[in-house]
Amino acid sequence: MIIRREQPQDYAEVYKLVETAFNSNPETDGTVPDYLNNLRTKDTFIPELSLVAQHENGQIIGQVVLYRTNITTAHKAITELVLSPISVHPNYFRQGIARAMMEKAFEIAVNMGYKAVFLCGNPEFYHKIGFVPTYTYSIHHINDNTKAAKWCMVRELVKGALSNISGSVDIE
């Protein structure tokens, strides 16, 4: 398997992959492939942080994308990243592909100067790879009235990057 930057000629195959991966999850509504297509048209999209995992047979079996978001503080906006979506073909679940893609994307992100990655997702899965609730850093999702959502998470890519920051993030 190789992990490489997604290319425009991959989009149709990635669309089918995302559709297949998310159709295996009964909790999804079928809109994720279109969400990804729409994301690619926004100014928050970073082509260097849109990666695919390609099997040795040439098949794309995974995809991950990180895009820009802002932490809105009382004084300024701080640009960091969001992880969404991430997909692995069901035939390749539980083989470390998602983790490998994320780690590669995080490495590239650090080299580009980013320091943190946010997401909304399943705490049980993402805690295993270093994500913690954003409220740990006095940051909350804009729609979280409780200010204690466990599903809104962050991983510092640079230790101490979120120290002394408080505010909100608007993650789709």
Side-chain angles (χ1 to χ4, degrees), residues 38-160:
N38 185 44
L39 177 61
R40 291 187 191 110
T41 68
K42 295 183 177 184
D43 64 353
T44 56
F45 180 70
I46 307 166
E48 296 86 353
L49 294 175
S50 184
L51 307 178
V52 295
Q54 189 171 21
H55 192 275
E56 60 192 30
N57 67 11
Q59 177 188 10
I60 294 175
I61 58 173
Q63 75 67 229
V64 64
V65 65
L66 303 176
Y67 64 91
R68 283 186 289 275
T69 193
N70 287 324
I71 304 168
T72 304
T73 72
H75 305 289
K76 63 181 177 179
I78 301 166
T79 302
E80 290 299 344
L81 299 170
V82 173
L83 168 66
S84 179
I86 183 166
S87 306
V88 173
H89 192 283
N91 293 345
Y92 298 93
F93 281 176
R94 292 176 182 67
Q95 295 181 27
I97 295 168
R99 182 183 296 249
M101 289 188 304
M102 283 186 280
E103 293 301 334
K104 179 67 173 175
F106 297 164
E107 177 185 320
I108 295 167
V110 168
N111 289 333
M112 294 176 73
Y114 294 101
K115 299 176 182 168
V117 176
F118 292 85
L119 63 78
C120 293
N122 180 340
E124 290 179 31
F125 175 77
Y126 289 103
H127 284 181
K128 295 175 191 174
I129 51 177
F131 282 85
V132 297
T134 57
Y135 64 76
T136 305
Y137 295 101
S138 299
I139 300 169
H140 61 275
H141 190 281
I142 195 167
N143 294 327
D144 175 24
N145 295 329
T146 69
K147 309 284 190 265
K150 293 182 181 191
W151 48 263
C152 186
M153 293 170 276
V154 65
R155 176 173 161 177
E156 283 186 320
L157 301 178
V158 175
K159 187 171 173 63

